Amino acid sequence: MAQEIEQYLMLKFRNGLDGKDKSISKIPRDKLFYLNNVFTECQMLTRKHGFNSPEDLLTINRIRRELNKIKRELKATKDKLQPNNGVSSTQDKETSLQHTEISRWTTRVVDDSKVYGFDDNVVSMEKLLLEKESHDRFKAVGIVGREGIGKTTLCQLIFNKAEVKNNFLPRIWVCMARHPDDDEDPKLAIVKRMLVQLGVEKKMVNFIFNEKSGLQGLLCALYQQLVGKRYLIVLDDARETDSWYGQLDSCLSRDKKWDDGFAFGLPKGDGGRVIVTSRNEELAKMMVGEENIHRLLPLSDPESCWKIFKDAVENDLILSNPPNLEDLKLEINQKCGGLPLAAKMMGQAMQEELPK
């Protein structure tokens, strides 16, 4: 994959320099700088003659996502310059948005038949959420770990467990990443998103914001939607380090205003639960407290990594009964470093190399 990207970029740059490819002159300067950096990274990776570490695989995954993002942005620019005065069809807009959401957005949906190695973590987290000692008290838990280790997957499995569904209502999934359509303060965007997921119509959300003192009104409305309910909220992929998101167990006091903290929109007396996932452990500690951190470790079982790899290859005939099966499983586990995403990428890379 790295070699293919390198060859493509080299061709584009050469054509651009020779004047053969006029489109490259229309690429914004910041994108050209980024593409140049990508080109350098791909050269470094191809000189290794293969992927020698999980970091290499994650780098390729990041490059692929960024290149897809640039491709979409350039397509949008091209559409604006077309003879129809920049008006794309409704179908084109919907397709573009769907592609953007798929690449950047997480949801509650998971195919648990293709998830391996998380059983112990699921049991541990489920016990933590359902413990009787804190049945009526608010609790916030943080799941931390490096990129590709499976934080979102673990949350998806927990979120969809029958026992969890029976004990928490409502349950809402909030992706904390910036949505492509968000052009406002992240605080506003997240609270509005939560209200919509709780069933409040967008018109009403905008009315509350415009007529009821902005963020204060939104947080007050969020509180009213959740009060008296044993809710479960997943805040996936937290990145904002603003202290406004901190100490989720805090309650509104007389010397505070509604919009002084995210926590004030979350009722504390009916057993509500919040799960935060983040690569940034210090951020998660700020939000839930150090004693409530669950550190997700790489998969240690070669069998789990092998199953993830095999599913990604999508060719049972090739991998049905190799003569060195156990050695191959160990090699996959070592190369992916126990990271599910890295094992999946190795399988996808092999699948792309198979004859069609």
Side-chain angles (χ1 to χ4, degrees), residues 211-311:
E211 304 295 331
K212 303 290 184 182
S213 306
L215 185 56
Q216 287 193 62
L218 292 174
L219 282 166
C220 182
L222 178 63
Y223 184 93
Q224 293 299 325
Q225 286 291 317
L226 295 172
V227 70
K229 300 172 183 176
R230 195 160 189 250
Y231 58 84
L232 172 65
I233 300 172
V234 172
L235 303 176
D236 188 43
D237 197 15
R239 302 183 186 190
E240 300 287 341
T241 56
D242 192 320
S243 60
W244 184 82
Y245 297 93
Q247 298 179 318
L248 292 180
D249 60 352
S250 300
C251 297
L252 184 64
S253 56
R254 290 184 179 181
D255 61 332
K256 298 288 185 181
K257 296 185 297 184
W258 279 104
D259 59 353
D260 283 341
F262 184 35
F264 302 151
L266 305 173
K268 302 302 189 294
D270 298 287
R273 299 285 188 268
V274 175
I275 304 175
V276 177
T277 75
S278 182
R279 299 177 199 171
N280 185 337
E281 183 167 333
E282 293 306 312
L283 168 59
K285 287 178 182 177
M286 179 187 75
M287 295 178 75
V288 307
E290 187 169 3
E291 68 279 7
N292 295 312
I293 293 294
H294 180 90
R295 296 175 181 85
L296 199 55
L297 301 175
L299 299 176
S300 58
D301 175 22
E303 191 68 32
S304 296
C305 294
W306 168 253
K307 288 177 179 177
I308 296 169
F309 171 80
K310 190 176 178 182
D311 278 349

